[in-house]
Amino acid sequence: MLDGMDPRPVGMFDSGVGGLSVFREFRRLAPRERTVYFADTAYFPYGPRDPGEVRKRAFAIAHRLVEADAKLIVVACNTASAAAIADLRQLFDLPFVGMVPAVKPAAQASRSGRVAILATPGTFDGDLYSSVVEEFGKGAAIDRVVGHDLAELVERGEVDTPAAREAVRSALGRTVANGADVVVLGCTHYEFLAPAITAEFPGVSVLGTVEPVAKRACALLAELDLEAPSDAEGALDLIVSGNREAFLETLPRLGFAPRGAAEAQS
């Protein structure tokens, strides 16, 4: 393969629309790359599911993306990363990029020394989260906040509504009142709620991980000579395991182009 001449797509997956927050940043950094995005809406949400079930779904989706000739796969889901990223890297002969909560920069940025991690039960229960907190969370008091029903709001496209504002206020009000001045978004769905969190808690810093993950994917493409040709045109192809029409109807509410800009596959 010639340098910078790999037209194969990048694979990306999540339980629903959340991973599109990663795709949005990746598209900004690598506009020539084609992305095949698998939205596993038939199994949404991953957060409350048993890690073994999430791992099985991750394996099945990775196989499907390999069949689509993916050259690199981004696990654009914190829960799936916690449950399966290590095994995926062992099982498949291609690079994987996963999600890790931004504990280190949060601990460094906090003035009060108290940080709130907003995530799903599946993310908190994984060894990945524990190891990251143990290595990078020293010196900070970490509040674990489960985002009950937040992913469901985003999946319906309700990110700039009174319901969304009330939901983030309910989830984070106590920890902010107790001194947390940094909120880490430990779920890609929650990235779409960052403006609502900032509006509700203007003195709080909100840290996500989509930018470093997108940068890591781009760096791997460059390091492994997998970048798209210089004359390639980026595109988004969708695979939706559940209700395709409902998924497509949500996209404009999240700032994505209507269905004409994306090819949907079942």
Side-chain angles (χ1 to χ4, degrees):
M1 187 73 64
L2 297 175
D3 290 359
M5 290 294 291
D6 193 331
R8 294 179 298 161
V10 169
M12 196 174 292
F13 74 90
D14 180 42
S15 64
V17 299
L20 290 173
S21 60
V22 182
F23 165 74
R24 180 172 57 190
E25 183 65 17
F26 178 69
R27 178 175 58 183
R28 185 183 71 82
L29 297 173
R32 300 195 309 271
E33 297 292 342
R34 182 163 67 90
T35 301
V36 177
Y37 183 93
F38 193 114
D40 196 18
T41 57
Y43 290 83
F44 171 85
Y46 281 169
R49 292 186 181 276
D50 180 82
E53 183 180 14
V54 176
R55 192 177 299 113
K56 287 178 63 176
R57 290 306 302 160
F59 290 164
I61 294 167
H63 277 293
R64 178 66 180 84
L65 292 173
V66 168
E67 290 174 358
D69 208 19
K71 58 188 176 183
L72 175 148
I73 294 177
V74 179
V75 184
C77 171
N78 291 75
T79 302
S81 294
I85 190 70
D87 293 333
L88 289 169
R89 286 171 172 152
Q90 287 188 347
L91 185 62
F92 293 91
D93 188 23
L94 78 165
F96 281 81
V97 179
M99 310 296 300
V100 179
V103 174
K104 182 178 181 179
Q108 293 172 338
S110 176
R111 300 179 304 278
S112 67
R114 182 172 292 276
V115 171
I117 312 291
L118 183 64
T120 68
T123 296
F124 286 133
D125 292 342
D127 292 338
L128 180 61
Y129 170 80
S130 298
S131 64
V132 168
V133 170
E134 182 177 350
E135 183 174 359
F136 299 117
K138 294 181 176 65
I142 306 294
D143 290 345
R144 296 174 22 154
V145 181
V146 175
H148 295 293
D149 300 326
L150 294 183
E152 286 81 355
L153 279 170
V154 175
E155 197 66 20
R156 298 192 298 269
E158 296 183 34
V159 295
D160 188 23
T161 64
R165 294 277 291 268
E166 171 60 30
V168 300
R169 186 163 58 246
S170 176
L172 293 167
R174 178 175 297 180
T175 186
V176 172
N178 287 336
D181 61 352
V182 179
V183 172
V184 175
L185 303 177
C187 171
T188 52
H189 276 78
Y190 303 166
E191 299 279 348
F192 291 106
L193 293 171
I197 296 171
T198 300
E200 283 299 313
F201 306 104
V204 170
S205 299
V206 180
L207 296 183
T209 55
V210 297
E211 182 178 1
V213 166
K215 285 182 175 178
R216 178 57 180 159
C218 292
L220 276 177
L221 292 176
E223 291 170 14
L224 301 175
D225 296 330
L226 297 176
E227 292 175 296
S230 59
D231 60 348
E233 294 185 7
L236 173 61
D237 298 334
L238 295 174
I239 304 172
V240 183
S241 64
N243 188 326
R244 185 181 66 186
E245 291 303 315
F247 184 85
L248 293 173
E249 288 172 2
T250 299
L251 297 187
R253 301 175 199 150
L254 299 177
F256 290 89
R259 66 187 65 187
E263 177 186 349
Q265 307 170 33
S266 59

